[in-house]
PDB file of all heavy atoms in Angstrom:
ATOM      1  N   CYS A   1     -14.458  15.248  23.372  1.00 86.00           N
ATOM      2  CA  CYS A   1     -14.299  15.339  24.825  1.00 86.00           C
ATOM      3  C   CYS A   1     -12.915  15.820  25.243  1.00 86.00           C
ATOM      4  O   CYS A   1     -12.761  16.391  26.298  1.00 86.00           O
ATOM      5  CB  CYS A   1     -14.596  13.996  25.474  1.00 86.00           C
ATOM      6  SG  CYS A   1     -13.346  12.742  25.142  1.00 86.00           S
ATOM      7  N   CYS A   2     -11.927  15.624  24.430  1.00 92.00           N
ATOM      8  CA  CYS A   2     -10.560  15.960  24.839  1.00 92.00           C
ATOM      9  C   CYS A   2      -9.800  16.788  23.810  1.00 92.00           C
ATOM     10  O   CYS A   2      -8.576  16.902  23.893  1.00 92.00           O
ATOM     11  CB  CYS A   2      -9.774  14.687  25.117  1.00 92.00           C
ATOM     12  SG  CYS A   2     -10.520  13.669  26.403  1.00 92.00           S
ATOM     13  N   ARG A   3     -10.480  17.362  22.839  1.00 96.00           N
ATOM     14  CA  ARG A   3      -9.800  18.150  21.812  1.00 96.00           C
ATOM     15  C   ARG A   3     -10.536  19.460  21.589  1.00 96.00           C
ATOM     16  O   ARG A   3     -11.750  19.526  21.698  1.00 96.00           O
ATOM     17  CB  ARG A   3      -9.741  17.387  20.484  1.00 96.00           C
ATOM     18  CG  ARG A   3      -8.858  16.165  20.523  1.00 96.00           C
ATOM     19  CD  ARG A   3      -8.776  15.438  19.189  1.00 96.00           C
ATOM     20  NE  ARG A   3     -10.016  15.552  18.444  1.00 96.00           N
ATOM     21  CZ  ARG A   3     -10.100  15.925  17.163  1.00 96.00           C
ATOM     22  NH1 ARG A   3      -9.042  16.199  16.472  1.00 96.00           N
ATOM     23  NH2 ARG A   3     -11.257  16.018  16.554  1.00 96.00           N
ATOM     24  N   GLY A   4      -9.765  20.479  21.253  1.00 95.00           N
ATOM     25  CA  GLY A   4     -10.358  21.778  20.960  1.00 95.00           C
ATOM     26  C   GLY A   4      -9.607  22.458  19.835  1.00 95.00           C
ATOM     27  O   GLY A   4      -8.452  22.145  19.557  1.00 95.00           O
ATOM     28  N   THR A   5     -10.283  23.397  19.187  1.00 96.00           N
ATOM     29  CA  THR A   5      -9.695  24.182  18.105  1.00 96.00           C
ATOM     30  C   THR A   5     -10.105  25.628  18.305  1.00 96.00           C
ATOM     31  O   THR A   5     -11.235  25.913  18.684  1.00 96.00           O
ATOM     32  CB  THR A   5     -10.200  23.694  16.732  1.00 96.00           C
ATOM     33  OG1 THR A   5      -9.793  22.339  16.543  1.00 96.00           O
ATOM     34  CG2 THR A   5      -9.650  24.535  15.604  1.00 96.00           C
ATOM     35  N   SER A   6      -9.168  26.532  18.073  1.00 96.00           N
ATOM     36  CA  SER A   6      -9.519  27.942  18.094  1.00 96.00           C
ATOM     37  C   SER A   6      -9.100  28.583  16.786  1.00 96.00           C
ATOM     38  O   SER A   6      -8.109  28.186  16.169  1.00 96.00           O
ATOM     39  CB  SER A   6      -8.863  28.670  19.269  1.00 96.00           C
ATOM     40  OG  SER A   6      -7.463  28.734  19.095  1.00 96.00           O
ATOM     41  N   ILE A   7      -9.889  29.555  16.365  1.00 97.00           N
ATOM     42  CA  ILE A   7      -9.595  30.353  15.181  1.00 97.00           C
ATOM     43  C   ILE A   7      -9.725  31.809  15.608  1.00 97.00           C
ATOM     44  O   ILE A   7     -10.789  32.239  16.043  1.00 97.00           O
ATOM     45  CB  ILE A   7     -10.564  30.036  14.028  1.00 97.00           C
ATOM     46  CG1 ILE A   7     -10.469  28.561  13.655  1.00 97.00           C
ATOM     47  CG2 ILE A   7     -10.267  30.935  12.826  1.00 97.00           C
ATOM     48  CD1 ILE A   7     -11.543  28.102  12.690  1.00 97.00           C
ATOM     49  N   VAL A   8      -8.612  32.530  15.521  1.00 97.00           N
ATOM     50  CA  VAL A   8      -8.583  33.925  15.944  1.00 97.00           C
ATOM     51  C   VAL A   8      -8.087  34.753  14.770  1.00 97.00           C
ATOM     52  O   VAL A   8      -7.000  34.497  14.246  1.00 97.00           O
ATOM     53  CB  VAL A   8      -7.674  34.115  17.166  1.00 97.00           C
ATOM     54  CG1 VAL A   8      -7.693  35.562  17.626  1.00 97.00           C
ATOM     55  CG2 VAL A   8      -8.101  33.187  18.304  1.00 97.00           C
ATOM     56  N   SER A   9      -8.895  35.721  14.342  1.00 98.00           N
ATOM     57  CA  SER A   9      -8.518  36.527  13.180  1.00 98.00           C
ATOM     58  C   SER A   9      -7.915  37.859  13.601  1.00 98.00           C
ATOM     59  O   SER A   9      -8.287  38.440  14.622  1.00 98.00           O
ATOM     60  CB  SER A   9      -9.724  36.741  12.263  1.00 98.00           C
ATOM     61  OG  SER A   9     -10.768  37.370  12.958  1.00 98.00           O
ATOM     62  N   PHE A  10      -6.973  38.312  12.769  1.00 98.00           N
ATOM     63  CA  PHE A  10      -6.250  39.557  12.996  1.00 98.00           C
ATOM     64  C   PHE A  10      -6.225  40.359  11.708  1.00 98.00           C
ATOM     65  O   PHE A  10      -6.342  39.809  10.615  1.00 98.00           O
ATOM     66  CB  PHE A  10      -4.814  39.276  13.456  1.00 98.00           C
ATOM     67  CG  PHE A  10      -4.741  38.660  14.822  1.00 98.00           C
ATOM     68  CD1 PHE A  10      -4.777  37.287  14.993  1.00 98.00           C
ATOM     69  CD2 PHE A  10      -4.658  39.459  15.946  1.00 98.00           C
ATOM     70  CE1 PHE A  10      -4.723  36.714  16.248  1.00 98.00           C
ATOM     71  CE2 PHE A  10      -4.601  38.909  17.216  1.00 98.00           C
ATOM     72  CZ  PHE A  10      -4.629  37.532  17.374  1.00 98.00           C
ATOM     73  N   GLU A  11      -6.016  41.664  11.841  1.00 98.00           N
ATOM     74  CA  GLU A  11      -5.996  42.564  10.686  1.00 98.00           C
ATOM     75  C   GLU A  11      -4.848  42.278   9.731  1.00 98.00           C
ATOM     76  O   GLU A  11      -4.952  42.569   8.543  1.00 98.00           O
ATOM     77  CB  GLU A  11      -5.910  44.011  11.157  1.00 98.00           C
ATOM     78  CG  GLU A  11      -7.143  44.471  11.893  1.00 98.00           C
ATOM     79  CD  GLU A  11      -6.987  45.853  12.507  1.00 98.00           C
ATOM     80  OE1 GLU A  11      -5.864  46.403  12.481  1.00 98.00           O
ATOM     81  OE2 GLU A  11      -7.987  46.370  13.012  1.00 98.00           O
ATOM     82  N   SER A  12      -3.744  41.710  10.246  1.00 98.00           N
ATOM     83  CA  SER A  12      -2.574  41.507   9.398  1.00 98.00           C
ATOM     84  C   SER A  12      -1.837  40.237   9.795  1.00 98.00           C
ATOM     85  O   SER A  12      -2.022  39.709  10.896  1.00 98.00           O
ATOM     86  CB  SER A  12      -1.610  42.690   9.515  1.00 98.00           C
ATOM     87  OG  SER A  12      -1.044  42.720  10.822  1.00 98.00           O
ATOM     88  N   GLU A  13      -0.977  39.792   8.899  1.00 98.00           N
ATOM     89  CA  GLU A  13      -0.137  38.632   9.191  1.00 98.00           C
ATOM     90  C   GLU A  13       0.818  38.949  10.343  1.00 98.00           C
ATOM     91  O   GLU A  13       1.090  38.107  11.187  1.00 98.00           O
ATOM     92  CB  GLU A  13       0.645  38.221   7.941  1.00 98.00           C
ATOM     93  CG  GLU A  13       1.471  36.971   8.137  1.00 98.00           C
ATOM     94  CD  GLU A  13       2.160  36.514   6.871  1.00 98.00           C
ATOM     95  OE1 GLU A  13       2.172  37.256   5.865  1.00 98.00           O
ATOM     96  OE2 GLU A  13       2.687  35.387   6.879  1.00 98.00           O
ATOM     97  N   GLY A  14       1.313  40.186  10.379  1.00 98.00           N
ATOM     98  CA  GLY A  14       2.215  40.589  11.453  1.00 98.00           C
ATOM     99  C   GLY A  14       1.568  40.512  12.816  1.00 98.00           C
ATOM    100  O   GLY A  14       2.181  40.052  13.787  1.00 98.00           O
ATOM    101  N   ALA A  15       0.325  40.965  12.912  1.00 98.00           N
ATOM    102  CA  ALA A  15      -0.394  40.899  14.185  1.00 98.00           C
ATOM    103  C   ALA A  15      -0.632  39.444  14.588  1.00 98.00           C
ATOM    104  O   ALA A  15      -0.508  39.089  15.771  1.00 98.00           O
ATOM    105  CB  ALA A  15      -1.716  41.652  14.089  1.00 98.00           C
ATOM    106  N   ALA A  16      -0.964  38.599  13.619  1.00 98.00           N
ATOM    107  CA  ALA A  16      -1.156  37.169  13.896  1.00 98.00           C
ATOM    108  C   ALA A  16       0.156  36.542  14.368  1.00 98.00           C
ATOM    109  O   ALA A  16       0.172  35.760  15.331  1.00 98.00           O
ATOM    110  CB  ALA A  16      -1.679  36.455  12.655  1.00 98.00           C
ATOM    111  N   GLN A  17       1.257  36.891  13.725  1.00 97.00           N
ATOM    112  CA  GLN A  17       2.557  36.341  14.106  1.00 97.00           C
ATOM    113  C   GLN A  17       2.958  36.788  15.507  1.00 97.00           C
ATOM    114  O   GLN A  17       3.510  36.002  16.276  1.00 97.00           O
ATOM    115  CB  GLN A  17       3.637  36.751  13.100  1.00 97.00           C
ATOM    116  CG  GLN A  17       4.989  36.103  13.372  1.00 97.00           C
ATOM    117  CD  GLN A  17       4.925  34.589  13.261  1.00 97.00           C
ATOM    118  OE1 GLN A  17       4.520  34.047  12.237  1.00 97.00           O
ATOM    119  NE2 GLN A  17       5.328  33.892  14.317  1.00 97.00           N
ATOM    120  N   THR A  18       2.650  38.019  15.849  1.00 96.00           N
ATOM    121  CA  THR A  18       2.943  38.508  17.197  1.00 96.00           C
ATOM    122  C   THR A  18       2.212  37.662  18.235  1.00 96.00           C
ATOM    123  O   THR A  18       2.776  37.299  19.276  1.00 96.00           O
ATOM    124  CB  THR A  18       2.549  39.994  17.330  1.00 96.00           C
ATOM    125  OG1 THR A  18       3.347  40.746  16.418  1.00 96.00           O
ATOM    126  CG2 THR A  18       2.735  40.503  18.741  1.00 96.00           C
ATOM    127  N   MET A  19       0.952  37.320  17.962  1.00 94.00           N
ATOM    128  CA  MET A  19       0.186  36.484  18.894  1.00 94.00           C
ATOM    129  C   MET A  19       0.797  35.094  18.999  1.00 94.00           C
ATOM    130  O   MET A  19       0.940  34.548  20.099  1.00 94.00           O
ATOM    131  CB  MET A  19      -1.280  36.410  18.475  1.00 94.00           C
ATOM    132  CG  MET A  19      -2.126  35.580  19.423  1.00 94.00           C
ATOM    133  SD  MET A  19      -2.010  36.015  21.188  1.00 94.00           S
ATOM    134  CE  MET A  19      -2.552  37.700  21.166  1.00 94.00           C
ATOM    135  N   VAL A  20       1.174  34.510  17.876  1.00 95.00           N
ATOM    136  CA  VAL A  20       1.800  33.179  17.907  1.00 95.00           C
ATOM    137  C   VAL A  20       3.085  33.216  18.724  1.00 95.00           C
ATOM    138  O   VAL A  20       3.344  32.329  19.543  1.00 95.00           O
ATOM    139  CB  VAL A  20       2.056  32.653  16.472  1.00 95.00           C
ATOM    140  CG1 VAL A  20       2.946  31.419  16.497  1.00 95.00           C
ATOM    141  CG2 VAL A  20       0.741  32.338  15.784  1.00 95.00           C
ATOM    142  N   ASP A  21       3.886  34.237  18.520  1.00 94.00           N
ATOM    143  CA  ASP A  21       5.127  34.377  19.273  1.00 94.00           C
ATOM    144  C   ASP A  21       4.855  34.485  20.771  1.00 94.00           C
ATOM    145  O   ASP A  21       5.571  33.882  21.586  1.00 94.00           O
ATOM    146  CB  ASP A  21       5.918  35.596  18.794  1.00 94.00           C
ATOM    147  CG  ASP A  21       6.430  35.449  17.367  1.00 94.00           C
ATOM    148  OD1 ASP A  21       6.459  34.313  16.837  1.00 94.00           O
ATOM    149  OD2 ASP A  21       6.782  36.490  16.773  1.00 94.00           O
ATOM    150  N   MET A  22       3.813  35.230  21.151  1.00 89.00           N
ATOM    151  CA  MET A  22       3.449  35.360  22.563  1.00 89.00           C
ATOM    152  C   MET A  22       3.006  34.021  23.144  1.00 89.00           C
ATOM    153  O   MET A  22       3.375  33.663  24.265  1.00 89.00           O
ATOM    154  CB  MET A  22       2.348  36.398  22.737  1.00 89.00           C
ATOM    155  CG  MET A  22       2.807  37.822  22.557  1.00 89.00           C
ATOM    156  SD  MET A  22       1.453  39.031  22.635  1.00 89.00           S
ATOM    157  CE  MET A  22       0.709  38.645  24.211  1.00 89.00           C
ATOM    158  N   ILE A  23       2.219  33.271  22.373  1.00 88.00           N
ATOM    159  CA  ILE A  23       1.747  31.966  22.843  1.00 88.00           C
ATOM    160  C   ILE A  23       2.926  31.024  23.051  1.00 88.00           C
ATOM    161  O   ILE A  23       3.021  30.329  24.059  1.00 88.00           O
ATOM    162  CB  ILE A  23       0.730  31.368  21.849  1.00 88.00           C
ATOM    163  CG1 ILE A  23      -0.558  32.190  21.866  1.00 88.00           C
ATOM    164  CG2 ILE A  23       0.456  29.900  22.177  1.00 88.00           C
ATOM    165  CD1 ILE A  23      -1.506  31.873  20.723  1.00 88.00           C
ATOM    166  N   ARG A  24       3.828  30.985  22.100  1.00 88.00           N
ATOM    167  CA  ARG A  24       4.988  30.084  22.191  1.00 88.00           C
ATOM    168  C   ARG A  24       5.939  30.478  23.314  1.00 88.00           C
ATOM    169  O   ARG A  24       6.619  29.634  23.877  1.00 88.00           O
ATOM    170  CB  ARG A  24       5.716  30.043  20.859  1.00 88.00           C
ATOM    171  CG  ARG A  24       4.934  29.291  19.805  1.00 88.00           C
ATOM    172  CD  ARG A  24       5.696  29.165  18.515  1.00 88.00           C
ATOM    173  NE  ARG A  24       4.962  28.304  17.586  1.00 88.00           N
ATOM    174  CZ  ARG A  24       5.003  28.427  16.286  1.00 88.00           C
ATOM    175  NH1 ARG A  24       5.754  29.357  15.715  1.00 88.00           N
ATOM    176  NH2 ARG A  24       4.304  27.609  15.513  1.00 88.00           N
ATOM    177  N   ALA A  25       5.995  31.760  23.653  1.00 87.00           N
ATOM    178  CA  ALA A  25       6.903  32.238  24.692  1.00 87.00           C
ATOM    179  C   ALA A  25       6.341  32.075  26.099  1.00 87.00           C
ATOM    180  O   ALA A  25       7.088  32.150  27.071  1.00 87.00           O
ATOM    181  CB  ALA A  25       7.247  33.710  24.448  1.00 87.00           C
ATOM    182  N   ARG A  26       5.030  31.855  26.203  1.00 80.00           N
ATOM    183  CA  ARG A  26       4.402  31.734  27.530  1.00 80.00           C
ATOM    184  C   ARG A  26       4.919  30.507  28.252  1.00 80.00           C
ATOM    185  O   ARG A  26       4.942  29.423  27.689  1.00 80.00           O
ATOM    186  CB  ARG A  26       2.889  31.564  27.393  1.00 80.00           C
ATOM    187  CG  ARG A  26       2.127  32.828  27.265  1.00 80.00           C
ATOM    188  CD  ARG A  26       0.664  32.509  27.200  1.00 80.00           C
ATOM    189  NE  ARG A  26       0.171  32.217  28.541  1.00 80.00           N
ATOM    190  CZ  ARG A  26      -0.920  32.742  29.054  1.00 80.00           C
ATOM    191  NH1 ARG A  26      -1.657  33.535  28.331  1.00 80.00           N
ATOM    192  NH2 ARG A  26      -1.288  32.468  30.261  1.00 80.00           N
ATOM    193  N   PRO A  27       5.289  30.669  29.495  1.00 72.00           N
ATOM    194  CA  PRO A  27       5.673  29.483  30.265  1.00 72.00           C
ATOM    195  C   PRO A  27       4.437  28.621  30.536  1.00 72.00           C
ATOM    196  O   PRO A  27       3.322  29.142  30.619  1.00 72.00           O
ATOM    197  CB  PRO A  27       6.226  30.065  31.563  1.00 72.00           C
ATOM    198  CG  PRO A  27       5.635  31.428  31.663  1.00 72.00           C
ATOM    199  CD  PRO A  27       5.376  31.891  30.256  1.00 72.00           C
ATOM    200  N   THR A  28       4.630  27.341  30.638  1.00 72.00           N
ATOM    201  CA  THR A  28       3.526  26.433  30.933  1.00 72.00           C
ATOM    202  C   THR A  28       3.127  26.607  32.394  1.00 72.00           C
ATOM    203  O   THR A  28       3.922  26.377  33.298  1.00 72.00           O
ATOM    204  CB  THR A  28       3.940  24.971  30.668  1.00 72.00           C
ATOM    205  OG1 THR A  28       4.346  24.861  29.311  1.00 72.00           O
ATOM    206  CG2 THR A  28       2.794  24.024  30.930  1.00 72.00           C
ATOM    207  N   VAL A  29       1.896  27.055  32.605  1.00 71.00           N
ATOM    208  CA  VAL A  29       1.398  27.287  33.961  1.00 71.00           C
ATOM    209  C   VAL A  29       0.955  25.973  34.589  1.00 71.00           C
ATOM    210  O   VAL A  29       1.203  25.703  35.749  1.00 71.00           O
ATOM    211  CB  VAL A  29       0.224  28.301  33.940  1.00 71.00           C
ATOM    212  CG1 VAL A  29      -0.386  28.455  35.312  1.00 71.00           C
ATOM    213  CG2 VAL A  29       0.704  29.626  33.393  1.00 71.00           C
ATOM    214  N   ASP A  30       0.289  25.164  33.814  1.00 80.00           N
ATOM    215  CA  ASP A  30      -0.161  23.849  34.262  1.00 80.00           C
ATOM    216  C   ASP A  30      -0.302  22.972  33.025  1.00 80.00           C
ATOM    217  O   ASP A  30      -0.037  23.410  31.917  1.00 80.00           O
ATOM    218  CB  ASP A  30      -1.472  23.946  35.039  1.00 80.00           C
ATOM    219  CG  ASP A  30      -2.588  24.580  34.228  1.00 80.00           C
ATOM    220  OD1 ASP A  30      -2.747  24.235  33.034  1.00 80.00           O
ATOM    221  OD2 ASP A  30      -3.316  25.423  34.767  1.00 80.00           O
ATOM    222  N   ASP A  31      -0.697  21.741  33.218  1.00 89.00           N
ATOM    223  CA  ASP A  31      -0.823  20.837  32.073  1.00 89.00           C
ATOM    224  C   ASP A  31      -2.281  20.588  31.710  1.00 89.00           C
ATOM    225  O   ASP A  31      -2.623  19.556  31.159  1.00 89.00           O
ATOM    226  CB  ASP A  31      -0.083  19.529  32.333  1.00 89.00           C
ATOM    227  CG  ASP A  31      -0.618  18.777  33.545  1.00 89.00           C
ATOM    228  OD1 ASP A  31      -1.495  19.308  34.252  1.00 89.00           O
ATOM    229  OD2 ASP A  31      -0.160  17.643  33.777  1.00 89.00           O
ATOM    230  N   SER A  32      -3.160  21.567  31.993  1.00 92.00           N
ATOM    231  CA  SER A  32      -4.588  21.389  31.708  1.00 92.00           C
ATOM    232  C   SER A  32      -4.867  21.318  30.206  1.00 92.00           C
ATOM    233  O   SER A  32      -5.807  20.648  29.783  1.00 92.00           O
ATOM    234  CB  SER A  32      -5.413  22.501  32.354  1.00 92.00           C
ATOM    235  OG  SER A  32      -5.037  23.767  31.844  1.00 92.00           O
ATOM    236  N   VAL A  33      -4.056  22.016  29.410  1.00 92.00           N
ATOM    237  CA  VAL A  33      -4.221  22.021  27.962  1.00 92.00           C
ATOM    238  C   VAL A  33      -2.841  21.929  27.316  1.00 92.00           C
ATOM    239  O   VAL A  33      -1.912  22.622  27.731  1.00 92.00           O
ATOM    240  CB  VAL A  33      -4.939  23.299  27.476  1.00 92.00           C
ATOM    241  CG1 VAL A  33      -5.000  23.363  25.959  1.00 92.00           C
ATOM    242  CG2 VAL A  33      -6.338  23.387  28.068  1.00 92.00           C
ATOM    243  N   THR A  34      -2.726  21.074  26.300  1.00 92.00           N
ATOM    244  CA  THR A  34      -1.484  20.929  25.551  1.00 92.00           C
ATOM    245  C   THR A  34      -1.720  21.433  24.139  1.00 92.00           C
ATOM    246  O   THR A  34      -2.672  21.005  23.477  1.00 92.00           O
ATOM    247  CB  THR A  34      -1.053  19.442  25.492  1.00 92.00           C
ATOM    248  OG1 THR A  34      -0.933  18.952  26.824  1.00 92.00           O
ATOM    249  CG2 THR A  34       0.265  19.286  24.749  1.00 92.00           C
ATOM    250  N   ILE A  35      -0.878  22.348  23.669  1.00 93.00           N
ATOM    251  CA  ILE A  35      -0.984  22.825  22.289  1.00 93.00           C
ATOM    252  C   ILE A  35      -0.394  21.770  21.369  1.00 93.00           C
ATOM    253  O   ILE A  35       0.773  21.402  21.502  1.00 93.00           O
ATOM    254  CB  ILE A  35      -0.269  24.168  22.100  1.00 93.00           C
ATOM    255  CG1 ILE A  35      -0.956  25.251  22.941  1.00 93.00           C
ATOM    256  CG2 ILE A  35      -0.243  24.561  20.620  1.00 93.00           C
ATOM    257  CD1 ILE A  35      -0.254  26.589  22.927  1.00 93.00           C
ATOM    258  N   ASP A  36      -1.208  21.283  20.437  1.00 94.00           N
ATOM    259  CA  ASP A  36      -0.757  20.282  19.473  1.00 94.00           C
ATOM    260  C   ASP A  36      -0.189  20.949  18.221  1.00 94.00           C
ATOM    261  O   ASP A  36       0.886  20.591  17.759  1.00 94.00           O
ATOM    262  CB  ASP A  36      -1.909  19.343  19.090  1.00 94.00           C
ATOM    263  CG  ASP A  36      -2.445  18.590  20.295  1.00 94.00           C
ATOM    264  OD1 ASP A  36      -1.645  18.203  21.172  1.00 94.00           O
ATOM    265  OD2 ASP A  36      -3.672  18.402  20.367  1.00 94.00           O
ATOM    266  N   THR A  37      -0.932  21.907  17.661  1.00 95.00           N
ATOM    267  CA  THR A  37      -0.473  22.636  16.483  1.00 95.00           C
ATOM    268  C   THR A  37      -0.927  24.075  16.584  1.00 95.00           C
ATOM    269  O   THR A  37      -1.961  24.384  17.188  1.00 95.00           O
ATOM    270  CB  THR A  37      -1.028  22.045  15.165  1.00 95.00           C
ATOM    271  OG1 THR A  37      -2.449  22.137  15.169  1.00 95.00           O
ATOM    272  CG2 THR A  37      -0.605  20.604  14.968  1.00 95.00           C
ATOM    273  N   ILE A  38      -0.142  24.951  15.964  1.00 96.00           N
ATOM    274  CA  ILE A  38      -0.525  26.363  15.871  1.00 96.00           C
ATOM    275  C   ILE A  38       0.012  26.874  14.547  1.00 96.00           C
ATOM    276  O   ILE A  38       1.174  26.700  14.227  1.00 96.00           O
ATOM    277  CB  ILE A  38      -0.007  27.176  17.079  1.00 96.00           C
ATOM    278  CG1 ILE A  38      -0.551  28.600  17.046  1.00 96.00           C
ATOM    279  CG2 ILE A  38       1.504  27.132  17.197  1.00 96.00           C
ATOM    280  CD1 ILE A  38      -0.374  29.366  18.336  1.00 96.00           C
ATOM    281  N   GLU A  39      -0.898  27.438  13.738  1.00 97.00           N
ATOM    282  CA  GLU A  39      -0.540  27.869  12.399  1.00 97.00           C
ATOM    283  C   GLU A  39      -1.193  29.214  12.094  1.00 97.00           C
ATOM    284  O   GLU A  39      -2.217  29.562  12.662  1.00 97.00           O
ATOM    285  CB  GLU A  39      -1.035  26.861  11.360  1.00 97.00           C
ATOM    286  CG  GLU A  39      -0.474  25.468  11.523  1.00 97.00           C
ATOM    287  CD  GLU A  39      -1.079  24.503  10.521  1.00 97.00           C
ATOM    288  OE1 GLU A  39      -2.272  24.179  10.669  1.00 97.00           O
ATOM    289  OE2 GLU A  39      -0.358  24.099   9.603  1.00 97.00           O
ATOM    290  N   ILE A  40      -0.589  29.917  11.143  1.00 98.00           N
ATOM    291  CA  ILE A  40      -1.159  31.162  10.639  1.00 98.00           C
ATOM    292  C   ILE A  40      -1.542  30.946   9.184  1.00 98.00           C
ATOM    293  O   ILE A  40      -0.787  30.339   8.418  1.00 98.00           O
ATOM    294  CB  ILE A  40      -0.136  32.315  10.709  1.00 98.00           C
ATOM    295  CG1 ILE A  40       0.248  32.590  12.167  1.00 98.00           C
ATOM    296  CG2 ILE A  40      -0.681  33.575  10.042  1.00 98.00           C
ATOM    297  CD1 ILE A  40       1.383  33.567  12.303  1.00 98.00           C
ATOM    298  N   GLY A  41      -2.722  31.430   8.826  1.00 98.00           N
ATOM    299  CA  GLY A  41      -3.163  31.329   7.435  1.00 98.00           C
ATOM    300  C   GLY A  41      -3.891  32.582   7.006  1.00 98.00           C
ATOM    301  O   GLY A  41      -4.458  33.300   7.835  1.00 98.00           O
TER     302      GLY A  41
END
């Protein structure tokens, strides 16, 4: 009810890292969702 997981695939580690960097740089718009962990594998 209160937890979610996303898995997003990219062609390369660099493309995945770019997305992570964008997510971390985004200002918090509201507190509707809190990121607990974000990893690349």
Side-chain angles (χ1 to χ4, degrees):
C1 70
C2 301
R3 293 182 328 130
T5 298
S6 68
I7 301 170
V8 182
S9 58
F10 292 89
E11 293 173 353
S12 68
E13 184 176 10
Q17 185 62 56
T18 297
M19 181 52 60
V20 169
D21 294 344
M22 287 175 55
I23 292 168
R24 288 184 174 149
R26 275 182 78 132
T28 302
V29 175
D30 58 44
D31 60 355
S32 61
V33 175
T34 303
I35 296 175
D36 299 323
T37 62
I38 187 166
E39 300 176 290
I40 297 172

